[in-house]
């Protein structure tokens, strides 16, 4: 097998690539507004109730409607997964990995089309959408290889007179609960990691992006994955989510989303239910209040590029988004000026037309972000933005506040939108203190040319993914295993060598010779 390599990003500056993407956007536009069923044990289930997925950048455009599961259907999906587990667990790791490699090949062929769906459904511009698809491909290529690596007997100390073996076996039925912000990559990564390790799953996509999740389901089916291994179950998080999490036959929950929902899942999963014969495992990757730190001796142009990209890529709707910039007082005014210069150039408009700044995901998000902007006006100085932006969608102007205190709400709470809080630090030490002073600990970045400070930051900036002299978003599978500390979650390190172990248990067998 060839070594894992990251899927290259598409270069839309190349006219031929740009033309292909434009063609895919036109093609997908013709496929909007269709109806998609649930998939339980390979069977299509159409429901009376529906979830409607609307283009957040064009509210007259329905991306598609999908079925909406109730508890009866959720129970049915769970039982299908339970039954299938008995045979799926006996497939060899190589056989299971084979389905992931095939699905990755299908995705590679349909890359532009899938990216176009992400433009319409999630409001991602072309480069963001392309990166989402590339990451989904990477997860499948990476986890397939990991399953094979972890598939055989693992090393143990030799004891003469005994045959000792340690192997990893799967856990059982998992519930995968995915977010809307990487509705292909994270959903595909969480799902395929669990199944390639030998588990079967009920997959609950986010209600804001269920159509791309159906496309993923179809691709897994096209790759030949047996019915019942993945059961596609869109539904309300609070209704079917709670039911699935508390079900006694659920063995693990793999969740990515907000802190509040993660905490709720963790608590519900910890309660023993009648008939439950295990402790449920919870993998929960949650929010962030990530920051870019700029020291006095940094390249200020580079730092401003990094701050703007980290804060405003995909409208700040990344768990890794650098929503704080913590800047040394000696260069603070200059960096604010350079950041504002860059933000002024971010034109807002429909993602499928490839505007650099698209819409935010829905009306609730838009409302919440505008409320934070009002709070920001009390807590600091509005440098640019601050209003809804034109257009028939959930548009918000990229917004920068300066003069934000480290303890301010804008500096502490996850906003999940295009709002940057710029904070002045008295010294490098003070900047590190500010950096660490939130309940989260997901990503961070330091711009500095000073080796000693970089080494100091390496140990003292407390976050799961730390970067020097580059932006704090854009983790690559295999290269930057991803996951955060503290309230950012369980630090599962998706796309790393520890990840599949979260969906496995080790069995030690000893035979006297
Ligand atoms: P969310 O509102 O927490 O939703 C995530 C998922 O949980 C959705 O599928 C949602 O379903 C479901 N859900 C809601 N209530 C539930 C309940 N009571 N029980 C079970 N499931 C429930 O998060 P989001 O808005 O989709 O995503 C944004 C958040 O995710 C941000 O906080 C971001 O930082 C975080 N995130 C973290 C990472 C990471 O790796 N650390 C990566 C990406 C995103 P419905 O859609 O039906 O409500
Ligand atoms: Mg939508």
């Amino acid at each position: 097998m060839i070594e894992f390599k990251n899927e290259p990003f598409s270069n839309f500056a190349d006219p031929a690539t740009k033309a292909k993407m434009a063609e895919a956007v036109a093609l997908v536009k013709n496929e909007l507004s269709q109806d998609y069923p649930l998939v339980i044990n390979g069977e299509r289930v159409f429901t009376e109730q529906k979830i409607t997925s609307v283009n957040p950048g064009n509210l007259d455009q329905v991306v598609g409607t999908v079925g909406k599961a109730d508890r009866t259907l959720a129970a049915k999906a769970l039982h299908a997964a339970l039954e299938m587990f008995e045979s799926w667990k006996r497939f060899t790791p190589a056989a299971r990995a084979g389905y992931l490699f095939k699905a990755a090949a299908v995705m590679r062929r349909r890359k532009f089309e899938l990216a176009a769906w992400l433009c319409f459904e999630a409001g991602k511009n072309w480069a963001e959408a392309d990166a989402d698809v590339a990451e989904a491909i990477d997860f499948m290529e990476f986890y397939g290889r990991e399953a094979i690596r972890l598939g055989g007997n693992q090393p143990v100390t030799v004891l003469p007179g005994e045959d000792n073996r340690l192997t990893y076996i799967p856990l059982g039925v998992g519930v995968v609960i995915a977010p809307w912000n990487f509705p292909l990559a994270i959903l595909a990564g969480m799902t395929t990691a669990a199944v390639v390790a030998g588990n079967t799953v009920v997959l609950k996509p986010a209600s804001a992006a269920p159509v791309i999740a159906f496309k993923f389901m179809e691709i897994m089916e096209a790759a030949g994955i047996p019915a019942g291994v993945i059961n596609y179950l869109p539904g309300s998080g609070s209704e079917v989510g709670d039911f699935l999490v508390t079900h006694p036959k659920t063995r693990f929950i793999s969740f990515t989303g907000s802190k509040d929902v993660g905490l709720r899942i963790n608590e519900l999963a910890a309660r023993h239910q009648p008939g439950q014969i295990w402790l449920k495992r919870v993998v929960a990757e949650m929010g962030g209040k990530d920051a870019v730190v700029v020291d006095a001796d940094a390249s200020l142009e580079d730092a401003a590029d990094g701050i703007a990209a980290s804060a405003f890529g995909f409208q700040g709707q990344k768990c890794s988004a650098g929503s704080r910039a913590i800047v040394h007082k000696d260069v603070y005014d200059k960096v604010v000026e350079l950041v504002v210069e860059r933000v002024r150039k971010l034109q807002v408009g429909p993602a499928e037309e490839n505007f650099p700044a698209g819409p935010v995901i829905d009306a609730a998000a838009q409302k919440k972000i505008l409320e934070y902007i009002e709070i920001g006006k009390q807590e600091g100085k509005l440098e640019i933005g601050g209003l809804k932006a034109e257009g028939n969608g959930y548009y918000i102007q990229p917004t920068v506040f300066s003069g934000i205190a480290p303890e301010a709400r804008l500096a502490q709470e996850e906003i999940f939108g295009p709002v940057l809080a710029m904070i002045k630090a008295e010294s490098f030490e003070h900047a590190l203190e500010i950096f660490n002073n939130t309940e989260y600990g997901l990503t961070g970045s330091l711009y500095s040319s000073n080796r000693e400070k970089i080494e100091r930051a390496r140990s003292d900036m407390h976050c799961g993914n730390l970067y020097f002299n580059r932006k704090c978003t854009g983790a690559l599978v295999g290269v930057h295993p991803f996951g955060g500390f503290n309230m950012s979650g369980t630090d599962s390190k998706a796309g790393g060598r520890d990840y599949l172990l979260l969906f496995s248990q080790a069995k030690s067998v000893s035979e006297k010779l």
Side-chain angles (χ1 to χ4, degrees):
M1 191 172 22
I2 55 168
E3 214 181 305
F4 170 77
K5 254 192 16 241
N6 295 101
E7 181 67 16
F9 297 136
S10 305
N11 173 15
F12 296 113
D14 165 42
T17 309
K18 188 178 166 190
K20 271 193 209 157
M21 183 64 192
E23 202 181 300
V25 167
L27 182 134
V28 167
K29 199 170 177 182
N30 275 325
E31 291 180 10
L32 298 178
S33 288
Q34 293 179 24
D35 195 20
Y36 303 92
L38 276 50
V39 183
I40 298 175
N41 207 16
E43 282 165 31
R44 266 64 185 144
V45 181
F46 288 90
T47 59
E48 195 82 359
Q49 286 214 57
K50 308 275 183 202
I51 295 172
T52 304
S53 173
V54 170
N55 179 349
N58 177 358
L59 305 188
D60 299 325
Q61 205 165 48
V62 171
V63 178
T65 53
V66 304
K68 186 175 183 193
D70 57 13
R71 288 169 184 220
T72 312
L73 288 171
K76 206 174 156 198
L78 212 118
H79 284 110
L82 258 178
E83 206 173 293
M84 187 56 202
F85 178 62
E86 292 310 314
S87 43
W88 183 241
K89 70 182 182 187
R90 297 181 196 285
F91 281 54
T92 64
R96 294 194 293 249
Y99 297 109
L100 273 60
F101 298 146
K102 268 191 204 147
V106 175
M107 276 196 191
R108 210 172 273 122
R109 278 198 294 275
R110 294 176 54 182
K111 203 168 175 185
F112 293 111
E113 179 219 329
L114 293 167
W117 281 105
L118 289 165
C119 297
F120 285 103
E121 190 167 44
K124 294 202 172 202
N125 68 26
W126 293 9
E128 296 285 350
D130 178 67
D132 196 324
V133 182
E135 190 177 0
I137 294 169
D138 281 354
F139 276 135
M140 293 193 287
E141 294 283 359
F142 185 83
Y143 293 143
R145 285 165 175 77
E146 281 295 287
I148 293 167
R149 177 176 74 84
L150 296 167
N153 292 327
Q154 301 302 306
V156 287
T157 300
V158 173
L159 182 70
E162 279 185 14
D163 171 17
N164 292 307
R165 301 183 199 178
L166 184 128
T167 53
Y168 290 115
I169 65 167
L171 296 170
V173 173
V175 175
V176 175
I177 303 177
W180 53 263
N181 72 329
F182 283 85
L184 184 59
I186 292 182
L187 174 129
M190 291 201 293
T191 305
T192 59
V195 303
V196 82
N199 307 284
T200 55
V201 302
V202 175
L203 167 58
K204 199 212 89 62
S207 298
V211 172
I212 188 70
F214 184 84
K215 299 284 163 190
F216 164 76
M217 183 73 225
E218 266 184 341
I219 288 168
M220 296 310 296
E221 289 181 312
I225 200 151
V229 174
I230 303 172
N231 299 279
Y232 168 77
L233 192 91
S236 141
S238 46
E239 198 190 329
V240 294
D242 280 4
F243 174 81
L244 291 167
V245 167
T246 51
H247 198 287
K249 297 292 184 199
T250 294
R251 179 65 181 82
F252 67 94
I253 298 113
S254 180
F255 168 79
T256 304
S258 62
K259 180 190 88 176
D260 290 348
V261 174
L263 285 175
R264 179 180 176 78
I265 288 173
N266 193 45
E267 192 176 331
L268 286 180
R271 271 190 226 152
H272 177 257
Q273 303 293 336
Q276 180 183 325
I277 57 164
W278 44 61
L279 293 175
K280 288 175 190 169
R281 221 182 256 186
V282 175
V283 177
E285 295 309 309
M286 315 191 295
K289 191 68 197 178
D290 315 307
V292 177
V293 175
V294 184
D295 191 28
D297 58 16
S299 153
L300 303 187
E301 298 281 342
D302 289 354
D305 286 341
I307 290 169
S310 303
F312 298 107
F314 187 37
Q315 295 79 259
Q317 300 173 114
K318 300 182 187 182
C319 51
S320 56
S323 56
R324 298 180 296 160
I326 305 166
V327 184
H328 192 287
K329 67 170 192 239
D330 292 354
V331 295
Y332 184 80
D333 291 341
K334 184 68 193 167
V335 172
V336 171
E337 184 192 316
L338 291 174
V339 168
V340 169
E341 224 171 70
R342 282 152 178 77
V343 173
R344 187 163 290 126
K345 293 187 191 138
L346 292 177
Q347 269 187 296
V348 183
E352 61 276 14
E353 293 172 32
N354 202 21
F355 278 81
V360 299
I361 193 67
D362 58 21
Q366 190 188 38
K367 179 166 176 283
K368 176 181 152 188
I369 296 162
L370 290 169
E371 281 166 14
Y372 271 109
I373 288 175
E374 288 313 306
I375 295 167
K377 289 178 186 166
Q378 309 296 313
E379 292 184 331
K381 177 179 169 217
L382 178 65
E383 294 282 348
I384 189 169
L387 296 170
K388 275 189 195 177
E390 295 279 299
N392 182 31
Y394 306 116
Y395 296 105
I396 295 184
Q397 295 173 345
T399 298
V400 178
F401 287 102
S402 64
I404 298 290
E407 306 287 342
R409 288 187 64 191
L410 240 70
Q412 293 288 327
E413 297 171 20
E414 186 182 54
I415 301 170
F416 225 58
V419 181
L420 170 67
M422 300 197 68
I423 305 166
K424 191 190 282 187
E426 292 304 314
S427 62
F428 176 68
E429 280 66 34
H430 187 218
L432 297 194
E433 232 172 78
I434 297 169
F435 177 83
N436 288 334
N437 183 26
T438 78
E439 64 178 337
Y440 296 109
L442 189 43
T443 76
S445 156
L446 168 68
Y447 281 83
S448 172
S449 57
N450 179 312
R451 176 49 49 190
E452 241 172 79
K453 286 176 178 162
I454 289 175
E455 292 311 321
R456 179 69 200 290
R458 192 188 298 278
S459 62
D460 289 7
M461 285 175 76
H462 193 61
C463 60
N465 287 75
L466 179 59
Y467 304 94
F468 296 141
N469 295 314
R470 51 151 290 179
K471 63 180 181 167
C472 66
T473 53
L476 287 174
V477 171
V479 182
H480 315 111
F482 191 82
F485 301 157
N486 297 344
M487 277 301 160
S488 292
T490 47
D491 189 38
S492 66
K493 288 295 182 277
R497 287 167 67 97
D498 305 328
Y499 195 66
L500 287 199
L501 298 180
L502 298 167
F503 309 103
S504 314
Q505 51 196 344
K507 183 171 185 176
S508 180
V509 179
S510 180
E511 180 179 359
K512 193 168 177 352
L513 297 175

